[in-house]
Amino acid sequence: MQDIEAIADVAHKAGIPLIVDNTMATPALCQPIKHGADIVVYSATKFLGGHGNSIGGLIVDAGSFDWAASDKFPALSTPNASYHGKIFTESFGNLAFILACRTLGMRDIGPAMAPFNAFQILTGMETLILRMDRHCANAVQVATWLSGHPAISWVSYAGLRTSPYHELAQKYMTGRGGSVFTFGLKGGYDAGVKLVSAVKLFSHLANIGDTRSLIIHPRSTTHRQLGESEAVEAGAGPDVVRLSIGIEHIEDIIADLDQALASLE
Ligand SMILES: *Cc1c(COP(=O)(O)O)cnc(C)c1O
């Protein structure tokens, strides 16, 4: 969790826009433009769609950034040869960036969503608020329960009052911490590998933001290529397990973690 207003100040003093990836918080918890962000990006694959069934993304431009105020953005403020010499900042003002995304980015790279995926993501977004309430309520209960478990050395979740990020969560995230967080196993690497294969309700997946609870041990999967110290710096040390808490019944979620942790003994 970041202090968005403080970072926006630094960015704007340096003449650069603040771009926030709000995938984890979603607009249900955090609206970065209200805090000074110029552009907000999302992986719609996660909570927005919410069901782990479609890949997509969003770029939201507040129209608040003046791309012509410096010579830092020549692709927008000088003639574009691939677009008949158009100067995007002259034609479109503060909308230069987002229109360049469409007219240049989409044209050159082609990231156009299939209609069925758009349908699934739009349908998912209708229940975003309801799902986030349940995701967060479940996650805070799981994090609290894990904090008291003897096999666990630490829990990093901004939704807990004991978290150093809780104050920022109050300011920016309605006091809630979302549903993705990490914890440390006293048993280290081997315990992490074993836990992931012992769960039954949780799915072993690198995705997040699904209605179903997901678990991964990053050190043996997504972050296995890193060196030891790099992995620790990336928050993926050998003892780290990441959860994305779903919207199942809280008792089922905790019962599954309980039996899986018991199997480590
Ligand atoms: C997954 C993720 C992405 C990438 O999104 P895809 O939809 O998988 O391409 C970007 N930012 C965050 C924070 C993510 O979790």
Side-chain angles (χ1 to χ4, degrees):
M1 185 156 312
Q2 311 284 347
D3 189 345
I4 300 172
E5 288 175 8
I7 299 170
D9 278 349
V10 171
H12 295 151
K13 279 185 188 125
I16 55 175
L18 175 63
I19 304 176
V20 174
D21 185 333
N22 200 34
T23 298
M24 297 270 193
T26 83
L29 304 187
C30 180
Q31 289 152 13
I33 290 169
K34 288 187 183 157
H35 300 290
D38 301 288
I39 292 171
V40 186
V41 296
Y42 293 93
S43 165
T45 315
K46 315 292 172 52
F47 293 102
L48 296 188
H51 299 72
N53 56 15
S54 282
I55 289 176
L58 278 75
I59 305 173
V60 182
D61 187 337
S64 53
F65 190 77
D66 181 1
W67 304 91
S70 75
D71 58 5
K72 288 189 166 81
F73 307 99
L76 302 176
S77 62
T78 62
N80 190 296
S82 82
Y83 227 79
H84 319 293
K86 185 169 279 304
I87 299 173
F88 278 71
T89 48
E90 277 183 8
S91 299
F92 307 121
N94 285 5
L95 298 183
F97 171 79
I98 201 68
L99 284 165
C101 288
R102 276 188 165 269
T103 54
L104 306 177
M106 278 186 77
R107 179 197 65 186
D108 294 351
I109 306 170
M113 190 179 283
F116 187 64
N117 291 54
F119 166 73
Q120 285 186 309
I121 288 169
L122 284 168
T123 305
M125 282 168 62
E126 290 179 19
T127 56
L128 176 68
I129 296 278
L130 300 176
R131 285 184 286 107
M132 289 311 286
D133 284 348
R134 176 72 167 233
H135 276 297
C136 294
N138 278 351
V140 77
Q141 289 194 69
V142 173
T144 303
W145 182 81
L146 287 172
S147 302
H149 195 283
I152 296 200
S153 41
W154 54 266
V155 175
S156 173
Y157 180 57
L160 291 178
R161 279 179 216 291
T162 48
S163 166
Y165 298 102
H166 191 62
E167 213 170 297
L168 288 174
Q170 298 281 0
K171 177 165 180 184
Y172 293 112
M173 302 250 298
T174 70
R176 297 180 287 175
S179 90
V180 179
F181 65 93
T182 52
F183 64 89
L185 283 166
K186 287 183 187 157
Y189 186 95
D190 292 341
V193 172
K194 211 169 155 195
L195 182 71
V196 164
S197 53
V199 288
K200 296 187 174 120
L201 175 76
F202 278 74
S203 299
H204 180 203
L205 275 171
N207 193 26
I208 56 165
D210 193 309
T211 49
R212 291 146 292 197
S213 290
L214 313 175
I215 187 168
I216 197 156
H217 177 239
R219 188 69 184 113
S220 61
T221 56
T222 52
H223 291 63
R224 66 188 293 166
Q225 77 281 12
L226 296 182
E228 197 62 53
S229 61
E230 289 171 314
V232 171
E233 270 173 47
D239 64 328
V240 177
V241 175
R242 186 183 78 190
L243 301 179
S244 174
I245 300 298
I247 61 172
E248 304 94 336
H249 198 290
I250 185 62
E251 286 173 16
D252 292 335
I253 298 172
I254 289 180
D256 191 33
L257 289 171
D258 196 26
Q259 66 78 22
L261 286 165
S263 78
L264 302 179
E265 283 159 13

